[in-house]
Amino acid sequence: MPGKSLLRRLILAVISVTALILPVAVGSSASASTSEHATWHRHHTWHVRVGAETPDMAVTAMAFLPKNIWVDVGDTVHWTSNSAEPHTVTFLKPGTSLPAFDPSNTTQTQRQGPSSYNGTAYTNSGIMATQPIFTFTNPATSYRLRFTAAGDFTYYCLVHGVMMKGRVHVRPAGTPYPYTQRDYDRVGNHHAQALLHNGLIAWRQALHAQATGHSVRVGIEGEGFAVMRFIRSHVVVHRGHTVRFFVAGPGAPHTVTFGQEPPIPAVLGPSGDPTHYAGGNLNSGVLQPGKPFDVTFTKTGRFHYICAIHDGMGMVGDVTVVR
Ligand SMILES: [Cu+2]
């Protein structure tokens, strides 16, 4: 029945609009994993979610949920991907410093080390995400490590650096646990909701700030969150006018790509002539803070563009040029 499916679509549309207006509605995106199954096992498996996002993938949270976990020697921690935005679970070799993220370095992007950890060696999950993104065509959705030595072990996401770290506190076998998995799920959910809420507020504020004029903000970076959208994603200008695309500060790499998407790595650099754009291929390359990408539209029409890195998360926009 076409009438019924239209109604359903309308209801879905209302739900997604509500999710945008009422940030509290995103709580459902954090899927709790309760595990009481470990009661009869000698060693427990503990669950940590990697990242979080709103259902439309517009706002992403950069956090390990929970950030801290207390386990005993012999226990396993099981990390699960929870966002399209990629992350890693990486224990550095003691005495080494956190490297800058390099997507071409396979010791960063691919799994390194055995499935147990005693605090001595570089151990890395490789890229984890819920779906392919950019050059990461086959990201891991889960990662397990068994902890074989006591100690407090800090780990990082190599993609997001010091902003995203977690800690596994490993105590001698038999030490009573201070918290249950249910406690960790609750703490993780609250943290995820707080970060996503902050992202939705920042997005709404940016929408107001960009309500008029000929500029488009490309993504938002905040403390523990990012908004993977063009703000605003639909603009209307007169022929001959210029639209300025800009990033407000350092953060996730974004592009403004009209026409056909160039292959990697060419898409990371600029191509085409933004001073007279009348359709076809035009690419900003990765946008840098303080270096806006100005496109002058010389032809009427509706011109669709994408972020070549985050289009899979819905980061797309268009410019309508009128006489
Ligand atoms: Cu992007």
Side-chain angles (χ1 to χ4, degrees), residues 218 228 253-255 307-311 315:
V218 181
M228 302 299 190
H254 299 295
T255 73
C307 166
I309 298 165
H310 300 107
D311 53 328
M315 191 164 177

Side-chain angles (χ1 to χ4, degrees), residues 11-93:
I11 290 169
L12 284 174
V14 168
I15 289 170
S16 51
V17 166
T18 314
L20 210 170
I21 297 167
L22 299 171
V24 223
V26 301
S28 61
S29 71
S31 60
S33 69
T34 48
S35 102
E36 309 304 333
H37 67 268
T39 313
W40 301 104
H41 292 237
R42 225 178 120 224
H43 299 300
H44 286 215
T45 294
W46 300 89
H47 298 272
V48 175
R49 281 169 295 137
V50 180
E53 65 192 3
T54 51
D56 60 1
M57 297 182 269
V59 184
T60 195
M62 288 89 121
F64 296 106
L65 306 161
K67 185 176 181 179
N68 284 280
I69 196 158
W70 282 263
V71 309
D72 286 357
V73 168
D75 287 357
T76 295
V77 178
H78 181 203
W79 287 268
T80 309
S81 303
N82 199 40
S83 68
E85 172 72 1
H87 302 289
T88 71
V89 169
T90 309
F91 293 82
L92 300 174
K93 191 180 162 69

